[in-house]
């Protein structure tokens, strides 16, 4: 049967070709991964990964963090709540002891989960089970203790992060699991922690002793402190956004603008976004916009509970080797 169409397939007989040797190829054998023999330590494992895409990004991030530590530039970790929920608090807290964390920014949920872990070694309620009865977010101690700390912050002229860490370390009531807390470790080591909240987004805002005035004052002070931390990123610092899709990327971009508006030079630093989805705001506000004129941006996609321990192990292994 002949085709009813009035057009015919294009003939390829006269297409011109060229030798493959003359073509530039993006991938070559020297970039390939090396087989694992099962005896690798973490540094050997990473060295055998392909020199392609995220594997090279991982190596670059590790190198830039090591460089920042060696030249005494900031290594600031921006943390969303999921990072704490998947059990990474002790790993990040431990990195402080080795100089791989010089400052921390948290959104409200990260601070809440960390505070609850310090108090009772558990966090993260079943929202679906609680919301129907209006019990979601109503745990008494969380709201009472955290708001008490925040309400005391303004008279003490400190921010929310410092107030919460200090409350935990006073150990009244007892915080049995404080060794697992980033807030507590940072406060003990004088590592600045800033907490950035939007009123109404966090469970402690729906408790009777929540004060909009005190929440606002404490988080604004923390934003100004974060701007100081951001200013020092110039020429070699590193900012990692881990698990915050909205609040911290917005805060970081505004801090960049404040620092440059005030006339401080802020170029040639590294930003990284680590999450299991590369969202719009981290991509734009952490990776692209702050580094569009200089510096570098690294996007690593994967589960926090795998990626962060892997990075931590590589950093500590490098220090141990030296």
């Amino acid at each position: 049967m002949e085709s009813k169409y009035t057009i015919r397939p294009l003939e390829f007989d006269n297409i011109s070709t060229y030798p493959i040797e003359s073509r530039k190829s993006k991938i070559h054998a020297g970039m390939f991964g090396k087989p694992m023999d099962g005896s690798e330590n973490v540094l050997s494992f990473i060295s055998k990964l392909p020199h392609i895409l995220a594997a090279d990004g991982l190596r670059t991030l590790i190198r830039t963090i090591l460089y920042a530590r060696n030249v005494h530039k900031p290594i600031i970790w921006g943390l969303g709540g999921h990072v704490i929920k998947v059990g990474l608090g002790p790993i990040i807290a431990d990195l402080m002891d080795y100089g791989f964390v010089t400052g921390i920014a948290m959104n409200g949920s990260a601070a809440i989960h960390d505070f609850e872990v310090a108090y009772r070694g558990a966090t993260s309620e079943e929202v679906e089970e609680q919301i129907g009865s209006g019990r979601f977010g109503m745990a008494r101690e969380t709201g009472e203790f955290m708001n008490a700390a925040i309400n005391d912050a303004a008279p003490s002229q400190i921010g929310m992060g410092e107030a919460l860490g200090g409350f935990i370390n006073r150990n009244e009531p007892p915080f049995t699991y404080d060794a697992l807390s980033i807030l507590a470790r940072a406060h003990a080591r004088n590592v600045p922690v800033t907490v950035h909240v939007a009123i109404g987004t966090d469970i402690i805002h729906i408790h009777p002793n929540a004060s909009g005035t005190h929440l606002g004052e404490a988080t604004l002070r923390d934003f100004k402190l974060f701007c100081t931390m951001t200013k020092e990123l110039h020429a070699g610092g590193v900012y990692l956004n881990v698990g915050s899709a909205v609040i911290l990327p917005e805060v970081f971009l505004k801090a960049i603008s404040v620092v440059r508006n005030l006339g401080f030079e802020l170029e040639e630093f590294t930003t990284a976004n680590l999450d299991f989805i590369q969202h719009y705001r981290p991509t734009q506000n952490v990776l692209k916009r702050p580094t569009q004129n200089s510096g570098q941006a690294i996007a690593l996609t994967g589960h926090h509970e795998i990626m962060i321990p892997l990075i931590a192990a590589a950093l500590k292994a490098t220090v141990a080797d030296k």
Side-chain angles (χ1 to χ4, degrees), residues 150-219:
I150 293 165
N151 292 341
D152 286 342
S156 303
Q157 295 189 318
I158 61 175
M160 195 179 298
E162 186 175 359
L164 294 171
F167 191 97
I168 294 169
N169 286 338
R170 283 195 296 275
N171 206 37
E172 299 174 4
F175 281 79
T176 310
Y177 298 90
D178 60 336
L180 305 178
S181 166
I182 292 174
L183 287 165
R185 181 77 63 89
H187 185 267
R189 294 189 60 84
N190 293 324
V191 173
V193 177
T194 59
V195 180
H196 307 271
V197 304
I199 302 296
T201 59
D202 300 320
I203 60 170
I204 64 171
H205 303 164
I206 58 178
H207 284 252
N209 62 335
S211 164
T213 299
H214 292 142
L215 283 164
E217 287 182 2
T219 200

Coordinates of all heavy atoms in Angstrom, one line a residue, residues 150-219:
I150 N 12.8 32.9 74.7 CA 12.7 34.0 73.7 C 12.2 35.3 74.4 O 12.7 36.4 74.1 CB 11.7 33.6 72.6 CG1 12.4 32.4 71.8 CG2 11.4 34.7 71.7 CD1 11.4 31.7 70.9
N151 N 11.3 35.2 75.3 CA 10.8 36.3 76.0 C 11.9 37.0 76.9 O 11.8 38.2 77.2 CB 9.6 36.0 76.9 CG 8.4 35.6 76.0 OD1 8.3 35.9 74.8 ND2 7.4 34.9 76.6
D152 N 12.8 36.2 77.3 CA 13.9 36.8 78.1 C 15.1 37.3 77.2 O 16.0 37.9 77.7 CB 14.5 35.7 79.0 CG 13.6 35.4 80.2 OD1 12.7 36.3 80.5 OD2 13.7 34.3 80.8
A153 N 15.0 37.0 75.9 CA 16.1 37.4 75.1 C 16.3 38.9 74.9 O 17.4 39.5 75.0 CB 15.9 36.8 73.7
A154 N 15.1 39.6 74.7 CA 15.2 41.1 74.5 C 15.8 41.8 75.7 O 16.8 42.6 75.5 CB 13.8 41.6 74.2
P155 N 15.4 41.6 76.9 CA 16.0 42.3 78.1 C 17.5 41.9 78.2 O 18.3 42.8 78.7 CB 15.2 41.8 79.3 CG 13.9 41.3 78.7 CD 14.2 40.8 77.4
S156 N 17.9 40.7 77.7 CA 19.3 40.3 77.8 C 20.1 40.8 76.6 O 21.3 40.6 76.5 CB 19.4 38.8 77.9 OG 18.7 38.3 79.0
Q157 N 19.4 41.4 75.6 CA 20.0 41.9 74.4 C 20.8 40.8 73.7 O 21.9 41.0 73.2 CB 20.9 43.1 74.7 CG 20.2 44.3 75.2 CD 21.1 45.5 75.3 OE1 22.3 45.4 75.7 NE2 20.6 46.7 74.8
I158 N 20.1 39.6 73.5 CA 20.6 38.5 72.8 C 19.6 38.1 71.8 O 18.4 38.4 71.9 CB 21.1 37.4 73.7 CG1 19.9 36.8 74.5 CG2 22.2 37.8 74.6 CD1 20.2 35.6 75.3
G159 N 20.0 37.3 70.8 CA 19.1 36.8 69.8 C 18.4 35.5 70.2 O 18.7 34.9 71.3
M160 N 17.6 34.9 69.3 CA 16.8 33.7 69.6 C 17.7 32.5 69.8 O 17.6 31.7 70.7 CB 15.8 33.5 68.6 CG 14.7 32.5 68.9 SD 13.5 32.3 67.6 CE 12.8 34.0 67.6
G161 N 18.7 32.4 68.9 CA 19.6 31.2 68.9 C 20.4 31.1 70.2 O 20.5 30.1 70.8
E162 N 21.0 32.3 70.6 CA 21.7 32.3 71.8 C 20.9 32.1 73.0 O 21.3 31.4 74.0 CB 22.5 33.6 72.0 CG 23.4 33.7 73.1 CD 24.2 35.0 73.2 OE1 24.0 35.9 72.3 OE2 25.0 35.2 74.1
A163 N 19.6 32.6 73.0 CA 18.7 32.4 74.2 C 18.3 31.0 74.3 O 18.3 30.4 75.4 CB 17.5 33.3 74.0
L164 N 18.0 30.3 73.2 CA 17.6 28.9 73.3 C 18.8 28.0 73.8 O 18.6 27.1 74.6 CB 17.0 28.4 72.0 CG 15.7 29.1 71.5 CD1 15.4 28.7 70.1 CD2 14.6 28.7 72.5
G165 N 19.9 28.2 73.2 CA 21.1 27.5 73.6 C 21.4 27.7 75.1 O 21.7 26.7 75.8
G166 N 21.3 28.9 75.6 CA 21.6 29.2 77.0 C 20.6 28.5 77.9 O 20.9 28.0 79.0
F167 N 19.3 28.5 77.4 CA 18.2 27.9 78.2 C 18.5 26.4 78.4 O 18.4 25.9 79.5 CB 16.9 28.1 77.6 CG 15.7 27.7 78.4 CD1 15.0 28.7 79.2 CD2 15.2 26.4 78.5 CE1 13.9 28.4 79.9 CE2 14.2 26.1 79.3 CZ 13.5 27.1 80.0
I168 N 18.9 25.7 77.3 CA 19.2 24.3 77.4 C 20.4 24.1 78.4 O 20.3 23.2 79.2 CB 19.5 23.7 76.0 CG1 18.3 23.8 75.1 CG2 20.1 22.3 76.1 CD1 18.6 23.5 73.7
N169 N 21.4 24.9 78.3 CA 22.6 24.7 79.0 C 22.5 25.0 80.5 O 23.3 24.6 81.3 CB 23.8 25.4 78.4 CG 24.3 24.7 77.1 OD1 24.1 23.5 77.0 ND2 25.0 25.5 76.3
R170 N 21.5 25.8 80.8 CA 21.2 26.1 82.3 C 20.6 24.8 82.9 O 20.7 24.7 84.2 CB 20.2 27.2 82.4 CG 20.9 28.6 82.3 CD 20.0 29.7 82.8 NE 18.7 29.9 82.0 CZ 18.6 30.6 80.9 NH1 19.7 31.2 80.4 NH2 17.5 30.7 80.3
N171 N 20.0 23.9 82.1 CA 19.6 22.6 82.6 C 18.5 22.7 83.7 O 18.5 21.9 84.6 CB 20.8 21.8 83.1 CG 20.6 20.3 83.0 OD1 19.9 19.8 82.0 ND2 21.0 19.5 83.9
E172 N 17.7 23.7 83.6 CA 16.5 23.8 84.5 C 15.3 24.1 83.7 O 15.1 25.2 83.2 CB 16.8 25.0 85.5 CG 18.0 24.8 86.4 CD 18.2 26.0 87.2 OE1 17.4 27.0 87.1 OE2 19.2 26.1 87.9
P173 N 14.4 23.1 83.5 CA 14.5 21.7 84.0 C 15.6 20.9 83.3 O 16.2 21.4 82.3 CB 13.1 21.2 83.6 CG 12.8 21.9 82.3 CD 13.3 23.3 82.6
P174 N 15.9 19.7 83.8 CA 17.0 18.9 83.2 C 16.8 18.7 81.7 O 15.7 18.2 81.3 CB 17.0 17.6 84.0 CG 16.3 18.0 85.2 CD 15.2 19.0 84.9
F175 N 17.8 18.9 80.9 CA 17.8 18.6 79.5 C 18.8 17.4 79.4 O 20.0 17.5 79.2 CB 18.3 19.8 78.6 CG 17.3 20.8 78.4 CD1 16.9 21.7 79.4 CD2 16.6 20.8 77.2 CE1 15.9 22.7 79.2 CE2 15.6 21.8 77.0 CZ 15.2 22.7 78.0
T176 N 18.2 16.2 79.5 CA 18.9 15.0 79.6 C 19.7 14.6 78.4 O 20.8 14.0 78.5 CB 18.0 13.8 79.9 OG1 17.1 14.2 81.0 CG2 18.7 12.5 80.3
Y177 N 19.3 15.1 77.2 CA 19.9 14.7 76.0 C 20.6 15.9 75.3 O 20.7 16.0 74.1 CB 18.8 14.1 75.0 CG 18.2 12.9 75.5 CD1 17.0 13.0 76.3 CD2 18.7 11.6 75.3 CE1 16.4 11.8 76.8 CE2 18.1 10.5 75.8 CZ 17.0 10.6 76.5 OH 16.4 9.5 77.0
D178 N 21.1 16.8 76.1 CA 21.7 18.0 75.6 C 22.9 17.7 74.7 O 23.3 18.5 73.8 CB 22.1 19.0 76.7 CG 23.1 18.4 77.7 OD1 23.1 17.1 77.8 OD2 23.8 19.2 78.4
A179 N 23.6 16.6 74.9 CA 24.7 16.2 74.1 C 24.4 16.0 72.6 O 25.3 16.0 71.8 CB 25.4 14.9 74.7
L180 N 23.1 15.8 72.4 CA 22.6 15.6 71.0 C 22.2 16.9 70.3 O 21.8 16.9 69.1 CB 21.5 14.7 71.0 CG 21.6 13.3 71.6 CD1 20.4 12.5 71.5 CD2 22.8 12.5 71.0
S181 N 22.3 18.0 71.0 CA 21.8 19.3 70.6 C 22.8 20.2 69.9 O 23.8 20.5 70.5 CB 21.1 20.0 71.7 OG 20.8 21.4 71.4
I182 N 22.5 20.7 68.7 CA 23.3 21.7 68.1 C 23.2 23.0 68.9 O 24.3 23.7 69.1 CB 22.8 21.9 66.6 CG1 23.1 20.7 65.8 CG2 23.5 23.2 66.0 CD1 22.6 20.8 64.4
L183 N 22.0 23.4 69.3 CA 21.9 24.7 70.1 C 22.8 24.7 71.3 O 23.5 25.6 71.6 CB 20.4 24.9 70.5 CG 19.5 25.3 69.4 CD1 18.0 25.1 69.8 CD2 19.7 26.7 68.9
A184 N 22.7 23.5 72.0 CA 23.5 23.5 73.3 C 25.0 23.5 73.0 O 25.8 24.2 73.7 CB 23.1 22.2 74.0
R185 N 25.5 22.7 72.0 CA 26.9 22.6 71.7 C 27.4 24.0 71.2 O 28.5 24.4 71.6 CB 27.2 21.5 70.7 CG 28.6 21.3 70.3 CD 29.4 20.6 71.4 NE 28.8 19.2 71.5 CZ 29.3 18.2 70.7 NH1 30.3 18.3 69.9 NH2 28.7 17.0 70.9
A186 N 26.6 24.6 70.4 CA 27.1 25.9 69.8 C 27.2 26.9 70.9 O 28.1 27.7 71.0 CB 26.1 26.3 68.7
H187 N 26.2 26.9 71.8 CA 26.2 27.9 72.9 C 27.5 27.7 73.8 O 28.1 28.6 74.2 CB 24.9 27.8 73.7 CG 24.8 28.8 74.8 ND1 25.3 28.6 76.1 CD2 24.4 30.1 74.8 CE1 25.1 29.7 76.8 NE2 24.5 30.6 76.1
A188 N 27.7 26.4 74.1 CA 28.9 26.1 74.9 C 30.2 26.4 74.3 O 31.2 26.8 75.0 CB 28.9 24.6 75.3
R189 N 30.3 26.4 73.0 CA 31.5 26.7 72.2 C 31.6 28.1 71.7 O 32.5 28.4 70.9 CB 31.7 25.7 71.1 CG 31.9 24.2 71.6 CD 32.3 23.3 70.4 NE 33.6 23.8 69.8 CZ 34.8 23.5 70.2 NH1 34.9 22.7 71.3 NH2 35.9 23.9 69.6
N190 N 30.6 28.9 72.0 CA 30.5 30.3 71.5 C 30.4 30.3 69.9 O 31.0 31.3 69.3 CB 31.7 31.1 72.0 CG 31.6 31.4 73.5 OD1 30.5 31.5 74.0 ND2 32.7 31.4 74.1
V191 N 29.8 29.4 69.3 CA 29.5 29.4 67.9 C 28.2 30.1 67.7 O 27.2 29.6 68.2 CB 29.5 27.9 67.3 CG1 29.1 28.0 65.9 CG2 30.9 27.3 67.4
P192 N 28.2 31.2 66.9 CA 26.9 31.9 66.8 C 25.8 31.1 66.1 O 26.1 30.4 65.1 CB 27.3 33.1 65.9 CG 28.8 33.2 66.0 CD 29.3 31.8 66.2
V193 N 24.6 31.1 66.7 CA 23.5 30.5 66.1 C 22.4 31.5 65.9 O 22.1 32.3 66.9 CB 22.9 29.3 66.9 CG1 21.6 28.8 66.3 CG2 23.9 28.2 67.1
T194 N 21.8 31.7 64.7 CA 20.7 32.6 64.5 C 19.5 31.8 64.1 O 19.6 30.8 63.4 CB 21.1 33.6 63.3 OG1 21.4 32.9 62.1 CG2 22.3 34.4 63.7
V195 N 18.4 32.2 64.5 CA 17.1 31.6 64.2 C 16.2 32.6 63.6 O 16.0 33.7 64.1 CB 16.4 31.0 65.5 CG1 15.1 30.3 65.2 CG2 17.4 30.0 66.2
H196 N 15.6 32.1 62.4 CA 14.9 33.0 61.5 C 13.4 32.5 61.4 O 13.3 31.4 60.9 CB 15.6 33.2 60.2 CG 17.0 33.6 60.3 ND1 17.4 34.9 60.4 CD2 18.1 32.8 60.5 CE1 18.7 34.9 60.5 NE2 19.2 33.7 60.6
V197 N 12.5 33.3 61.9 CA 11.1 32.8 61.9 C 10.2 33.7 61.2 O 10.4 34.9 61.1 CB 10.6 32.5 63.3 CG1 11.5 31.6 64.1 CG2 10.4 33.8 64.1
A198 N 9.1 33.2 60.7 CA 7.9 33.9 60.2 C 6.8 33.7 61.2 O 6.5 32.5 61.5 CB 7.5 33.5 58.8
I199 N 6.2 34.7 61.7 CA 5.2 34.5 62.8 C 4.0 33.7 62.3 O 3.4 34.0 61.2 CB 4.7 35.9 63.3 CG1 5.8 36.8 63.8 CG2 3.6 35.7 64.4 CD1 6.6 36.2 65.0
G200 N 3.7 32.7 63.0 CA 2.6 31.8 62.7 C 3.0 30.5 62.0 O 2.2 29.6 61.8
T201 N 4.3 30.4 61.6 CA 4.8 29.2 61.0 C 5.2 28.0 61.9 O 5.3 26.9 61.5 CB 6.0 29.5 60.1 OG1 7.0 30.0 60.9 CG2 5.6 30.5 59.0
D202 N 5.4 28.4 63.2 CA 6.0 27.4 64.1 C 5.0 27.1 65.3 O 4.3 28.0 65.7 CB 7.3 27.9 64.7 CG 8.3 28.1 63.6 OD1 8.4 27.3 62.6 OD2 9.1 29.1 63.6
I203 N 5.1 25.9 65.8 CA 4.1 25.5 66.8 C 4.2 26.3 68.1 O 3.2 26.5 68.8 CB 4.2 24.0 67.2 CG1 5.6 23.7 67.7 CG2 3.9 23.1 65.9 CD1 5.7 22.3 68.3
I204 N 5.3 26.9 68.4 CA 5.4 27.6 69.6 C 4.7 29.0 69.5 O 4.5 29.6 70.6 CB 6.9 27.8 70.1 CG1 7.7 28.7 69.1 CG2 7.6 26.5 70.3 CD1 9.0 29.1 69.5
H205 N 4.4 29.4 68.3 CA 3.6 30.7 68.2 C 2.2 30.6 68.6 O 1.5 31.6 68.7 CB 3.7 31.2 66.7 CG 5.1 31.3 66.2 ND1 5.4 31.4 64.9 CD2 6.3 31.4 66.9 CE1 6.7 31.5 64.7 NE2 7.3 31.5 65.9
I206 N 1.7 29.3 68.8 CA 0.3 29.2 69.1 C 0.1 28.8 70.6 O -1.0 28.4 71.0 CB -0.4 28.1 68.2 CG1 0.3 26.7 68.4 CG2 -0.3 28.5 66.7 CD1 -0.3 25.6 67.6
H207 N 1.1 29.1 71.4 CA 1.0 28.9 72.8 C 0.7 30.2 73.5 O 1.0 31.3 73.0 CB 2.3 28.2 73.3 CG 2.4 26.8 73.0 ND1 2.2 25.8 73.9 CD2 2.6 26.2 71.8 CE1 2.4 24.6 73.3 NE2 2.6 24.8 72.0
P208 N 0.1 30.1 74.7 CA -0.4 31.3 75.4 C 0.8 32.3 75.7 O 0.5 33.5 75.8 CB -1.0 30.8 76.7 CG -1.4 29.4 76.4 CD -0.4 28.9 75.4
N209 N 2.0 31.9 76.0 CA 3.0 32.8 76.4 C 3.9 33.3 75.2 O 4.9 33.9 75.4 CB 3.9 32.2 77.5 CG 4.6 30.9 77.0 OD1 4.2 30.2 76.1 ND2 5.8 30.6 77.6
A210 N 3.4 33.0 74.0 CA 4.1 33.5 72.8 C 3.9 35.0 72.7 O 2.8 35.5 72.9 CB 3.6 32.9 71.5
S211 N 4.9 35.8 72.4 CA 4.9 37.2 72.3 C 5.4 37.6 70.9 O 6.6 37.4 70.6 CB 5.7 37.9 73.4 OG 6.0 39.3 73.1
G212 N 4.5 38.3 70.2 CA 5.0 38.8 68.9 C 6.1 39.8 69.0 O 7.0 39.8 68.1
T213 N 6.0 40.6 70.0 CA 7.1 41.6 70.2 C 8.4 40.9 70.4 O 9.4 41.3 69.8 CB 6.7 42.5 71.4 OG1 5.5 43.2 71.1 CG2 7.8 43.5 71.6
H214 N 8.4 40.0 71.3 CA 9.7 39.3 71.7 C 10.2 38.4 70.6 O 11.4 38.3 70.3 CB 9.5 38.5 73.0 CG 9.3 39.4 74.2 ND1 8.5 39.1 75.2 CD2 9.8 40.7 74.5 CE1 8.5 40.1 76.1 NE2 9.3 41.0 75.7
L215 N 9.3 37.7 69.9 CA 9.7 36.9 68.8 C 10.3 37.8 67.7 O 11.4 37.5 67.1 CB 8.5 36.1 68.2 CG 8.0 34.9 68.9 CD1 6.6 34.5 68.5 CD2 9.0 33.7 68.7
G216 N 9.7 38.9 67.4 CA 10.2 39.8 66.4 C 11.5 40.4 66.7 O 12.4 40.5 65.9
E217 N 11.7 40.8 68.0 CA 12.9 41.4 68.4 C 14.1 40.4 68.3 O 15.2 40.8 67.9 CB 12.8 42.0 69.8 CG 11.9 43.3 69.9 CD 11.9 43.8 71.3 OE1 12.5 43.2 72.2 OE2 11.2 44.8 71.5
A218 N 13.8 39.2 68.8 CA 14.8 38.2 68.9 C 15.3 37.8 67.5 O 16.5 37.6 67.2 CB 14.4 37.0 69.7
T219 N 14.3 37.6 66.6 CA 14.7 37.1 65.3 C 15.3 38.2 64.4 O 16.1 38.0 63.6 CB 13.5 36.4 64.6 OG1 14.0 35.5 63.5 CG2 12.5 37.4 64.0

